[in-house]
Amino acid sequence: MPGLTLGDTIPNLEVETTHGKFKLHDFIGQDWTIIFSHPGDFTPVCTTELGKMAAYTNKFQERGVKLLGLSCDDVQTHNDWIKDIEAYSRGSKVEFPIIADPDMEVIKELNMVDPDEKDLNGNQLPSRGLHVVGGDKKVKLSILYPATTGRNIDEVLRVVDSLQKTEKHKVATPENWKPGEPVMIAPTVSNEEAKELFPGGFETKEVPSSKDYLRYTAV
Ligand code: BEZ
């Protein structure tokens, strides 16, 4: 199984979707894109995840991020399921395409398979994979959950904010960082460089080692 991972270019697969056939690179264009997989249509956890994605579509759009779902059934089944998703999410529309992958070929190419998950008939189940892809078509972040654990879509939004912040500035975001909170100056930046890069200043937290690596700033 190919092991698509951070920094890899997403393969330019031709995919069949609820919005027609296209190649992944054409869909991504120059934009940030989130590709996220689901084990199958008409399953409870997937319905809640897609419902939240539908409800959050505007939040992703505000960040310049396109959404592209994937589920291991065909287009007709997806279209039937979408009616349930929209009812579940109280009318939020599924405006993004969902890839049809009934033969589980695309999930193998995108490294979204859970080798340990099997359905009642012993068939392999896909995982809940998610890749955040940049306009350069490279994977910037991936998460991989088993089919039995639903993802936190607020966390997906939060990591997009972190990725976009750290792409612009030589900073990193601390544990559970949220937009508006201080960020940390990257360890590769010297104090001299930091004074130039962050004219508003930065604060160094004192620690027993006396090493000055916990440096906070606002950008
Ligand atoms: C679900 O979406 O609820 C689900 C799908 C496959 C396995 C377990 C749960």
Side-chain angles (χ1 to χ4, degrees):
M1 188 174 74
L4 187 75
T5 189
L6 294 188
D8 287 352
T9 300
I10 202 98
N12 193 16
L13 307 173
E14 183 166 77
V15 290
E16 200 174 346
T17 81
T18 49
H19 291 199
K21 261 191 195 171
F22 52 73
K23 293 194 111 179
L24 287 182
H25 287 196
D26 292 338
F27 178 80
I28 295 165
Q30 303 299 309
D31 301 315
W32 289 79
T33 301
I34 299 178
I35 307 177
F36 51 102
S37 68
H38 299 272
D41 296 1
F42 298 106
T43 51
V45 177
C46 299
T47 303
T48 63
E49 289 185 325
L50 274 162
K52 193 60 164 248
M53 280 301 205
Y56 275 21
T57 299
N58 285 348
K59 294 181 194 283
F60 287 108
Q61 261 169 7
E62 283 163 13
R63 291 157 171 84
V65 178
K66 289 176 183 159
L67 300 176
L68 179 57
L70 184 162
S71 180
C72 296
D73 282 292
D74 60 26
V75 168
Q76 182 56 53
T77 314
H78 286 358
N79 284 328
D80 292 341
W81 183 35
I82 283 171
K83 293 176 202 139
D84 285 4
I85 297 166
E86 291 178 346
Y88 170 83
S89 65
R90 301 209 175 101
S92 296
K93 294 282 173 211
V94 177
E95 287 167 352
F96 48 85
I98 303 178
I99 298 172
D101 191 24
D103 299 325
M104 301 193 194
E105 291 301 331
V106 180
I107 57 163
K108 287 181 196 143
E109 295 291 334
L110 299 184
N111 197 15
M112 292 168 152
V113 177
D114 184 337
D116 292 333
E117 279 292 334
K118 302 266 193 308
D119 68 14
L120 292 176
N121 300 318
N123 300 316
Q124 192 168 55
L125 282 174
S127 62
R128 299 180 190 284
L130 183 149
H131 299 300
V132 182
V133 182
D136 58 2
K137 322 286 188 296
K138 290 189 191 302
V139 176
K140 306 295 180 188
L141 180 141
S142 295
I143 64 173
L144 201 54
Y145 281 30
T148 43
T149 302
R151 288 159 287 197
N152 181 334
I153 309 304
D154 283 299
E155 171 65 0
V156 177
L157 211 52
R158 193 190 74 84
V159 297
V160 165
D161 286 331
S162 169
L163 288 170
Q164 294 189 337
K165 178 71 78 180
T166 57
E167 194 195 39
K168 274 203 214 115
H169 307 280
K170 287 189 174 178
V171 298
T173 60
E175 178 272 330
N176 206 23
W177 171 87
K178 293 184 198 66
E181 294 178 356
V183 293
M184 306 190 87
I185 299 173
T188 47
V189 176
S190 68
N191 279 337
E192 288 63 42
E193 197 188 348
K195 281 177 201 152
E196 283 172 27
L197 289 176
F198 309 105
F202 59 92
E203 190 188 323
T204 306
K205 193 168 174 49
E206 285 181 24
V207 283
S209 68
S210 302
K211 295 185 192 295
D212 54 359
Y213 59 98
L214 287 166
R215 298 171 299 172
Y216 290 89
T217 192
V219 284

